[in-house]
Amino acid sequence: DQQVKQNSPSLSVQEGRISILNCDYTNSMFDYFLWYKKYPAEGPTFLISISSIKDKNEDGRFTVFLNKSAKHLSLHIVPSQPGDSAVYFCAADWAGNNRKLIWGLGTSLAVNP
Amino acid sequence: DAGITQSPRHKVTETGTPVTLRCHQTENHRYMYWYRQDPGHGLRLIHYSYGVKDTDKGEVSDGYSVSRSKTEDFLLTLESATSSQTSVYFCAISADSGNQPQHFGDGTRLSIL
């Protein structure tokens, strides 16, 4: 049973527009959420995170929103650039889990020029 | 970038042979992880370590063993490789203070014929 779900396997966006990647979770014990970006033939790269005590965290073009009541988080990329084309993974953690992240299956983002 | 080196980067071997993958870090982080990535499955945790000589199983540990005799090195061994273990293997590390992301190496592409 997947505790972290990324229901959209792929997303296509025009350059300059907003990309919104979504992630749902089922475990209410999760208190730390992360987004990773992965290019082919490379390891995942940490992008941005958010603690459950916050509802928004921003880093440049990337913003993560957390809605605890809906058990939903989203990653906004504004403006989208062709170099953002990658697979994006959502992951979650909670205190006492020995720092083992629970991963979604990823969403492949294509940003078209 | 986090100092993580995986070796070898590519390996082709035959069914039934033993294989050892090495992960070396220069960050002195306490936690180390081994994942495999396969199409349709995202990242799956094989084993992880929470200190020297302290290891535990992940969700797909059958057929794999690990050892961590030094902080900087985490070895993954396939005692008798099978074709189902053909995959891309990633090592990750994380620090021990508060909420910390995992940082990944560039992966090892392993093909078992």
Side-chain angles (χ1 to χ4, degrees):
Chain A
D1 183 29
Q2 261 199 296
Q3 298 183 65
V4 176
K5 298 178 185 178
Q6 295 178 256
N7 291 318
S8 298
S10 62
L11 176 67
S12 183
V13 170
Q14 209 64 27
E15 180 179 5
R17 306 295 292 268
I18 184 172
S19 295
I20 300 176
L21 296 99
N22 294 305
C23 180
D24 297 298
Y25 61 96
T26 58
N27 190 339
S28 58
M29 292 181 65
F30 289 144
D31 59 10
Y32 182 53
F33 302 88
L34 309 90
W35 284 96
Y36 284 80
K37 177 172 69 175
K38 187 182 179 307
Y39 294 120
E42 294 184 11
T45 302
F46 169 68
L47 200 54
I48 191 169
S49 63
I50 188 167
S51 165
S52 61
I53 62 174
K54 296 185 175 181
D55 54 19
K56 176 183 173 182
N57 189 26
E58 192 171 353
D59 184 1
R61 296 186 298 114
F62 302 91
T63 303
V64 56
F65 295 92
L66 176 62
N67 182 334
K68 289 189 293 294
S69 61
K71 293 192 176 68
H72 176 84
L73 65 155
S74 59
L75 175 68
H76 293 212
I77 306 173
V78 183
S80 301
Q81 300 173 354
D84 296 329
S85 298
V87 177
Y88 289 79
F89 291 98
C90 171
D93 193 10
W94 76 91
N97 192 36
N98 230 357
R99 304 192 181 281
K100 293 181 295 178
L101 296 179
I102 309 301
W103 295 84
L105 295 184
T107 296
S108 178
L109 173 66
V111 180
N112 306 308
Chain B
D1 287 346
I4 308 168
T5 304
Q6 291 188 233
S7 58
R9 293 295 314 280
H10 303 272
K11 187 172 182 67
V12 180
T13 190
E14 295 183 348
T15 301
T17 59
V19 177
T20 295
L21 308 183
R22 181 184 184 231
C23 178
H24 179 78
Q25 61 144 329
T26 58
E27 306 295 320
N28 201 36
H29 283 352
R30 177 183 175 190
Y31 292 87
M32 298 186 76
Y33 311 82
W34 276 108
Y35 290 91
R36 60 179 290 175
Q37 186 190 19
D38 305 287
H41 291 279
L43 288 161
R44 292 185 291 176
L45 183 65
I46 304 171
H47 282 280
Y48 67 100
S49 170
Y50 46 96
V52 174
K53 292 186 168 48
D54 291 324
T55 65
D56 206 350
K57 297 178 180 179
E59 62 182 304
V60 289
S61 60
D62 287 349
Y64 301 94
S65 62
V66 290
S67 66
R68 190 166 178 206
S69 58
K70 299 184 290 185
T71 298
E72 57 266 35
D73 289 324
F74 193 31
L75 304 180
L76 177 70
T77 297
L78 292 65
E79 300 289 348
S80 177
T82 68
S83 58
S84 64
Q85 294 175 310
T86 292
S87 186
V88 180
Y89 291 84
F90 290 103
C91 173
I93 65 175
S94 71
D96 190 21
S97 51
N99 286 331
Q100 295 288 337
Q102 293 179 14
H103 297 282
F104 285 77
D106 286 333
T108 294
R109 184 170 295 274
L110 178 63
S111 296
I112 300 163
L113 307 177

